[in-house]
């Protein structure tokens, strides 16, 4: 099993940037997927961005509302993934969760086996 811990959330103004970190511990695999989801009060959990890697290739997947503003990256040596969020808007306010697993559906929250506790991102206008 993999344990995940998110960090980097906070309160920012519209147009600002944040970088969220997800530190992983425990067993990982050569072929793996890590992703970010978010959930605002009164709303369902929403896919944000994901990254899949293997010995053959690396792929990235983007949610409709964040493509062009958010990017995902990985540091294999540190067992960590990062979510760089630029030009944040009030509608980005949510708890952001890191997820990991071996899945063929990177955008489906139900396909992930491991979840972090979440980190709050609040964007004021």
């Amino acid at each position: 099993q993999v344990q995940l811990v998110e960090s980097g959330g906070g309160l920012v103004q519209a147009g600002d940037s944040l970088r969220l970190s997800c530190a992983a511990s425990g067993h990982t695999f050569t072929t793996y997927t890590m992703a970010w989801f978010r959930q605002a009060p009164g709303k369902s959990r929403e896919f944000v961005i994901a990254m899949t890697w293997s010995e053959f290739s690396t792929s990235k997947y983007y949610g409709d509302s964040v493509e062009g503003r958010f990017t995902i990256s990985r540091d294999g040596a540190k067992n960590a993934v990062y979510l760089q969020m630029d030009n944040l808007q009030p509608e980005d306010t949510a708890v952001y969760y890191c997820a990991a697993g071996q899945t063929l559906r990177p955008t489906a929250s139900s396909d992930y086996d491991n979840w972090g506790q979440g980190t709050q991102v609040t964007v004021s206008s």
Side-chain angles (χ1 to χ4, degrees), residues 63-114:
D64 292 340
S65 64
V66 304
E67 187 170 7
R69 296 189 298 124
F70 292 8
T71 57
I72 188 170
S73 61
R74 171 178 177 262
D75 186 336
K78 296 182 178 180
N79 291 320
V81 294
Y82 307 94
L83 174 60
Q84 178 66 42
M85 304 184 293
D86 296 326
N87 192 24
L88 284 161
Q89 301 298 311
E91 53 264 37
D92 296 316
T93 295
V95 177
Y96 283 71
Y97 297 92
C98 180
Q102 292 183 295
T103 177
L104 298 178
R105 299 193 300 171
T107 64
S109 61
S110 61
D111 277 16
Y112 288 88
D113 300 320
N114 305 283

Side-chain angles (χ1 to χ4, degrees), residues 14-47:
D16 285 352
S17 297
L18 278 175
R19 190 179 80 153
L20 306 184
S21 299
C22 177
S25 61
H27 292 292
T28 57
F29 303 90
T30 302
T31 301
Y32 213 64
T33 301
M34 296 188 73
W36 292 91
F37 292 78
R38 66 187 183 186
Q39 188 165 19
K43 295 185 177 181
S44 60
R45 188 162 297 186
E46 176 190 12
F47 170 74

